Amino acid sequence: MTTPPAGVEQFTPSAEDNDHKIILSLFGDTKSGKTHFAVRSSRPLYIAYLDPNAALDFHLAKASQEGYEGEVFKCVVPPMAYDDLTGPLAHQYVERVEAFAAWARKEAKERKAAGLPTGTFVVDGMTMLKGYYEKDLLGESATLGWRAAKGERGGPSTFDYAKSNGALRDFVSQFMGAALDVVVIWEGRQDYAGGEPVPGKFHTTMPAGVPFAITCEAEVYVELEKIVENQLVVGTTPVPRVRVTRNTYGLEFFNRTFKAGGFDGLKRLLLAGLED
């Protein structure tokens, strides 16, 4: 047998294969349970919170009551009216999140070397982060609400947004091979047909290019489940569910739905596989 060329190595299964780290892209309608799902993940938890809804501490406290104990580090970027958002301020917001992410990766690497749990990194508000990249790099952000006035010209072109989308892809790509799980949360955008909204149908606001840096995408939604008593339907109850879309773990997961217990449960399912 000959020696393979430089850059080629033979794969040998090891114990580390069972510790595979997931980069999950999560989306859904407003108030569909995205934060609830994400904070139910292994600790330590590193969470960059850009969501305008100031309910993070409530979600963390509730998860703690359910047994999700351990260190939590949060980086909160406060919401701001678009008219008050300057390019330098958007740059500060981007740098704050990027520095937090770099620190979390470093901490996870050191914890792994010490044989400690490495935890989960969450960005809750990726759509907002997308807008801050746009404002920082392009001068304006359609994502955050910029619109040209009637008869006005200028502002970023469709081609300009490739630059900010590329920066966002690079941000997520830096977690590939990192020693911790990642959940990035996007707002869902309503689907339309014939100019009318399709009830219950949404798609992610994740831009093209970023999906190459993730290993799984899933949608969180609420389904009304029938309550049956004595063979009669007496009402309904809301049940949070998660639907897996594109993923690297098997075609058997595509478009499959499960009760949305939390990220830890979904990870166990993805790595264990499904029976036929």
mmCIF file of all heavy atoms in Angstrom, residues 233-259:
data_model
loop_
_atom_site.group_PDB
_atom_site.id
_atom_site.type_symbol
_atom_site.label_atom_id
_atom_site.label_comp_id
_atom_site.label_asym_id
_atom_site.label_seq_id
_atom_site.Cartn_x
_atom_site.Cartn_y
_atom_site.Cartn_z
ATOM 1 N N VAL A 233 -64.966 14.778 21.253
ATOM 2 C CA VAL A 233 -64.005 15.877 21.289
ATOM 3 C C VAL A 233 -64.606 17.003 22.127
ATOM 4 O O VAL A 233 -65.642 17.568 21.777
ATOM 5 C CB VAL A 233 -63.683 16.386 19.866
ATOM 6 C CG1 VAL A 233 -62.761 17.595 19.933
ATOM 7 C CG2 VAL A 233 -63.074 15.277 19.022
ATOM 8 N N VAL A 234 -63.946 17.313 23.246
ATOM 9 C CA VAL A 234 -64.488 18.313 24.165
ATOM 10 C C VAL A 234 -63.675 19.615 24.136
ATOM 11 O O VAL A 234 -64.005 20.571 24.838
ATOM 12 C CB VAL A 234 -64.528 17.759 25.604
ATOM 13 C CG1 VAL A 234 -65.491 16.596 25.695
ATOM 14 C CG2 VAL A 234 -63.133 17.361 26.072
ATOM 15 N N GLY A 235 -62.625 19.653 23.360
ATOM 16 C CA GLY A 235 -61.819 20.868 23.290
ATOM 17 C C GLY A 235 -60.472 20.592 22.643
ATOM 18 O O GLY A 235 -60.250 19.511 22.071
ATOM 19 N N THR A 236 -59.593 21.563 22.733
ATOM 20 C CA THR A 236 -58.238 21.420 22.192
ATOM 21 C C THR A 236 -57.223 21.945 23.202
ATOM 22 O O THR A 236 -57.570 22.746 24.083
ATOM 23 C CB THR A 236 -58.081 22.200 20.870
ATOM 24 O OG1 THR A 236 -58.346 23.589 21.114
ATOM 25 C CG2 THR A 236 -59.016 21.667 19.797
ATOM 26 N N THR A 237 -55.989 21.505 23.058
ATOM 27 C CA THR A 237 -54.898 21.989 23.901
ATOM 28 C C THR A 237 -53.689 22.261 23.023
ATOM 29 O O THR A 237 -53.405 21.497 22.093
ATOM 30 C CB THR A 237 -54.550 20.956 24.996
ATOM 31 O OG1 THR A 237 -53.520 21.491 25.835
ATOM 32 C CG2 THR A 237 -54.067 19.644 24.408
ATOM 33 N N PRO A 238 -52.978 23.380 23.253
ATOM 34 C CA PRO A 238 -51.805 23.696 22.430
ATOM 35 C C PRO A 238 -50.616 22.800 22.789
ATOM 36 O O PRO A 238 -50.286 22.614 23.962
ATOM 37 C CB PRO A 238 -51.523 25.162 22.769
ATOM 38 C CG PRO A 238 -52.089 25.355 24.138
ATOM 39 C CD PRO A 238 -53.274 24.445 24.232
ATOM 40 N N VAL A 239 -49.983 22.233 21.763
ATOM 41 C CA VAL A 239 -48.824 21.366 21.953
ATOM 42 C C VAL A 239 -47.669 21.898 21.101
ATOM 43 O O VAL A 239 -47.801 21.997 19.877
ATOM 44 C CB VAL A 239 -49.144 19.913 21.537
ATOM 45 C CG1 VAL A 239 -47.902 19.036 21.687
ATOM 46 C CG2 VAL A 239 -50.280 19.354 22.384
ATOM 47 N N PRO A 240 -46.542 22.277 21.730
ATOM 48 C CA PRO A 240 -45.399 22.750 20.945
ATOM 49 C C PRO A 240 -44.736 21.597 20.198
ATOM 50 O O PRO A 240 -44.531 20.519 20.761
ATOM 51 C CB PRO A 240 -44.461 23.344 22.005
ATOM 52 C CG PRO A 240 -44.811 22.634 23.265
ATOM 53 C CD PRO A 240 -46.282 22.329 23.177
ATOM 54 N N ARG A 241 -44.429 21.818 18.933
ATOM 55 C CA ARG A 241 -43.798 20.789 18.121
ATOM 56 C C ARG A 241 -42.600 21.360 17.365
ATOM 57 O O ARG A 241 -42.505 22.569 17.153
ATOM 58 C CB ARG A 241 -44.797 20.187 17.133
ATOM 59 C CG ARG A 241 -45.893 19.355 17.775
ATOM 60 C CD ARG A 241 -46.686 18.567 16.755
ATOM 61 N NE ARG A 241 -47.653 17.687 17.366
ATOM 62 C CZ ARG A 241 -47.385 16.471 17.840
ATOM 63 N NH1 ARG A 241 -46.153 15.997 17.741
ATOM 64 N NH2 ARG A 241 -48.315 15.721 18.380
ATOM 65 N N VAL A 242 -41.718 20.471 16.958
ATOM 66 C CA VAL A 242 -40.562 20.850 16.150
ATOM 67 C C VAL A 242 -40.555 19.979 14.898
ATOM 68 O O VAL A 242 -40.769 18.769 14.978
ATOM 69 C CB VAL A 242 -39.241 20.717 16.938
ATOM 70 C CG1 VAL A 242 -39.028 19.296 17.443
ATOM 71 C CG2 VAL A 242 -38.054 21.169 16.103
ATOM 72 N N ARG A 243 -40.357 20.618 13.758
ATOM 73 C CA ARG A 243 -40.309 19.902 12.477
ATOM 74 C C ARG A 243 -38.914 20.043 11.888
ATOM 75 O O ARG A 243 -38.449 21.149 11.641
ATOM 76 C CB ARG A 243 -41.349 20.463 11.507
ATOM 77 C CG ARG A 243 -41.343 19.782 10.127
ATOM 78 C CD ARG A 243 -42.475 20.328 9.248
ATOM 79 N NE ARG A 243 -42.291 21.740 8.962
ATOM 80 C CZ ARG A 243 -41.571 22.206 7.936
ATOM 81 N NH1 ARG A 243 -40.969 21.358 7.113
ATOM 82 N NH2 ARG A 243 -41.456 23.500 7.738
ATOM 83 N N VAL A 244 -38.253 18.911 11.667
ATOM 84 C CA VAL A 244 -36.909 18.922 11.091
ATOM 85 C C VAL A 244 -37.019 19.051 9.579
ATOM 86 O O VAL A 244 -37.810 18.359 8.943
ATOM 87 C CB VAL A 244 -36.145 17.632 11.462
ATOM 88 C CG1 VAL A 244 -34.780 17.596 10.770
ATOM 89 C CG2 VAL A 244 -35.979 17.537 12.975
ATOM 90 N N THR A 245 -36.225 19.954 9.010
ATOM 91 C CA THR A 245 -36.199 20.104 7.555
ATOM 92 C C THR A 245 -34.852 19.584 7.053
ATOM 93 O O THR A 245 -34.561 18.406 7.209
ATOM 94 C CB THR A 245 -36.462 21.560 7.144
ATOM 95 O OG1 THR A 245 -35.489 22.414 7.768
ATOM 96 C CG2 THR A 245 -37.848 22.006 7.584
ATOM 97 N N ARG A 246 -34.044 20.429 6.446
ATOM 98 C CA ARG A 246 -32.759 19.946 5.937
ATOM 99 C C ARG A 246 -31.810 19.621 7.087
ATOM 100 O O ARG A 246 -31.747 20.341 8.086
ATOM 101 C CB ARG A 246 -32.134 20.986 5.001
ATOM 102 C CG ARG A 246 -32.178 22.408 5.503
ATOM 103 C CD ARG A 246 -31.816 23.376 4.403
ATOM 104 N NE ARG A 246 -32.206 24.739 4.739
ATOM 105 C CZ ARG A 246 -32.154 25.757 3.898
ATOM 106 N NH1 ARG A 246 -31.706 25.565 2.677
ATOM 107 N NH2 ARG A 246 -32.539 26.958 4.265
ATOM 108 N N ASN A 247 -31.063 18.520 6.931
ATOM 109 C CA ASN A 247 -30.140 18.095 7.986
ATOM 110 C C ASN A 247 -29.125 17.124 7.399
ATOM 111 O O ASN A 247 -29.317 16.592 6.299
ATOM 112 C CB ASN A 247 -30.916 17.446 9.130
ATOM 113 C CG ASN A 247 -31.445 16.074 8.778
ATOM 114 O OD1 ASN A 247 -30.811 15.060 9.032
ATOM 115 N ND2 ASN A 247 -32.631 16.022 8.148
ATOM 116 N N THR A 248 -28.052 16.891 8.143
ATOM 117 C CA THR A 248 -26.983 16.002 7.673
ATOM 118 C C THR A 248 -27.047 14.629 8.332
ATOM 119 O O THR A 248 -26.139 13.822 8.140
ATOM 120 C CB THR A 248 -25.596 16.618 7.974
ATOM 121 O OG1 THR A 248 -25.441 16.753 9.391
ATOM 122 C CG2 THR A 248 -25.458 17.979 7.332
ATOM 123 N N TYR A 249 -28.108 14.343 9.080
ATOM 124 C CA TYR A 249 -28.137 13.131 9.895
ATOM 125 C C TYR A 249 -28.979 12.009 9.315
ATOM 126 O O TYR A 249 -29.024 10.925 9.863
ATOM 127 C CB TYR A 249 -28.607 13.487 11.312
ATOM 128 C CG TYR A 249 -27.736 14.550 11.926
ATOM 129 C CD1 TYR A 249 -28.165 15.862 12.014
ATOM 130 C CD2 TYR A 249 -26.445 14.249 12.343
ATOM 131 C CE1 TYR A 249 -27.339 16.843 12.529
ATOM 132 C CE2 TYR A 249 -25.623 15.223 12.857
ATOM 133 C CZ TYR A 249 -26.067 16.512 12.940
ATOM 134 O OH TYR A 249 -25.232 17.487 13.443
ATOM 135 N N GLY A 250 -29.636 12.244 8.212
ATOM 136 C CA GLY A 250 -30.393 11.168 7.586
ATOM 137 C C GLY A 250 -31.658 11.663 6.929
ATOM 138 O O GLY A 250 -32.351 12.536 7.457
ATOM 139 N N LEU A 251 -31.968 11.099 5.767
ATOM 140 C CA LEU A 251 -33.187 11.488 5.060
ATOM 141 C C LEU A 251 -34.440 11.109 5.840
ATOM 142 O O LEU A 251 -35.515 11.669 5.611
ATOM 143 C CB LEU A 251 -33.211 10.826 3.676
ATOM 144 C CG LEU A 251 -32.179 11.339 2.663
ATOM 145 C CD1 LEU A 251 -32.251 10.522 1.384
ATOM 146 C CD2 LEU A 251 -32.419 12.819 2.366
ATOM 147 N N GLU A 252 -34.306 10.155 6.762
ATOM 148 C CA GLU A 252 -35.483 9.745 7.526
ATOM 149 C C GLU A 252 -36.003 10.853 8.439
ATOM 150 O O GLU A 252 -37.130 10.797 8.928
ATOM 151 C CB GLU A 252 -35.176 8.493 8.358
ATOM 152 C CG GLU A 252 -34.177 8.690 9.491
ATOM 153 C CD GLU A 252 -32.743 8.434 9.068
ATOM 154 O OE1 GLU A 252 -32.448 8.536 7.854
ATOM 155 O OE2 GLU A 252 -31.914 8.116 9.946
ATOM 156 N N PHE A 253 -35.161 11.869 8.680
ATOM 157 C CA PHE A 253 -35.599 12.977 9.528
ATOM 158 C C PHE A 253 -36.321 14.061 8.750
ATOM 159 O O PHE A 253 -36.969 14.916 9.345
ATOM 160 C CB PHE A 253 -34.392 13.607 10.242
ATOM 161 C CG PHE A 253 -33.826 12.755 11.329
ATOM 162 C CD1 PHE A 253 -32.610 12.108 11.149
ATOM 163 C CD2 PHE A 253 -34.497 12.582 12.522
ATOM 164 C CE1 PHE A 253 -32.078 11.323 12.147
ATOM 165 C CE2 PHE A 253 -33.972 11.791 13.530
ATOM 166 C CZ PHE A 253 -32.761 11.155 13.340
ATOM 167 N N PHE A 254 -36.179 14.053 7.428
ATOM 168 C CA PHE A 254 -36.724 15.159 6.641
ATOM 169 C C PHE A 254 -38.240 15.275 6.798
ATOM 170 O O PHE A 254 -38.988 14.318 6.595
ATOM 171 C CB PHE A 254 -36.379 14.985 5.161
ATOM 172 C CG PHE A 254 -36.889 16.107 4.292
ATOM 173 C CD1 PHE A 254 -36.285 17.348 4.318
ATOM 174 C CD2 PHE A 254 -38.012 15.929 3.495
ATOM 175 C CE1 PHE A 254 -36.764 18.395 3.536
ATOM 176 C CE2 PHE A 254 -38.492 16.964 2.715
ATOM 177 C CZ PHE A 254 -37.864 18.199 2.741
ATOM 178 N N ASN A 255 -38.672 16.453 7.229
ATOM 179 C CA ASN A 255 -40.097 16.775 7.391
ATOM 180 C C ASN A 255 -40.772 15.950 8.481
ATOM 181 O O ASN A 255 -42.005 15.852 8.516
ATOM 182 C CB ASN A 255 -40.856 16.626 6.072
ATOM 183 C CG ASN A 255 -42.018 17.594 5.972
ATOM 184 O OD1 ASN A 255 -41.960 18.705 6.497
ATOM 185 N ND2 ASN A 255 -43.087 17.182 5.311
ATOM 186 N N ARG A 256 -39.989 15.368 9.381
ATOM 187 C CA ARG A 256 -40.563 14.641 10.511
ATOM 188 C C ARG A 256 -40.836 15.613 11.649
ATOM 189 O O ARG A 256 -40.078 16.554 11.888
ATOM 190 C CB ARG A 256 -39.599 13.550 10.998
ATOM 191 C CG ARG A 256 -39.419 12.401 10.020
ATOM 192 C CD ARG A 256 -40.667 11.555 9.883
ATOM 193 N NE ARG A 256 -40.986 10.835 11.092
ATOM 194 C CZ ARG A 256 -40.537 9.604 11.384
ATOM 195 N NH1 ARG A 256 -39.741 8.974 10.528
ATOM 196 N NH2 ARG A 256 -40.872 9.013 12.499
ATOM 197 N N THR A 257 -41.915 15.413 12.367
ATOM 198 C CA THR A 257 -42.276 16.286 13.480
ATOM 199 C C THR A 257 -42.233 15.512 14.796
ATOM 200 O O THR A 257 -42.527 14.310 14.849
ATOM 201 C CB THR A 257 -43.681 16.882 13.290
ATOM 202 O OG1 THR A 257 -44.648 15.814 13.275
ATOM 203 C CG2 THR A 257 -43.763 17.666 11.991
ATOM 204 N N PHE A 258 -41.872 16.228 15.852
ATOM 205 C CA PHE A 258 -41.755 15.648 17.179
ATOM 206 C C PHE A 258 -42.250 16.665 18.204
ATOM 207 O O PHE A 258 -42.263 17.864 17.932
ATOM 208 C CB PHE A 258 -40.296 15.291 17.511
ATOM 209 C CG PHE A 258 -39.595 14.537 16.423
ATOM 210 C CD1 PHE A 258 -38.840 15.208 15.470
ATOM 211 C CD2 PHE A 258 -39.691 13.161 16.336
ATOM 212 C CE1 PHE A 258 -38.197 14.531 14.453
ATOM 213 C CE2 PHE A 258 -39.061 12.464 15.320
ATOM 214 C CZ PHE A 258 -38.306 13.145 14.380
ATOM 215 N N LYS A 259 -42.642 16.210 19.370
ATOM 216 C CA LYS A 259 -42.981 17.137 20.443
ATOM 217 C C LYS A 259 -41.711 17.892 20.837
ATOM 218 O O LYS A 259 -40.652 17.305 21.002
ATOM 219 C CB LYS A 259 -43.566 16.392 21.641
ATOM 220 C CG LYS A 259 -44.994 15.911 21.394
ATOM 221 C CD LYS A 259 -45.662 15.389 22.649
ATOM 222 C CE LYS A 259 -47.120 15.009 22.365
ATOM 223 N NZ LYS A 259 -47.795 14.503 23.576
#
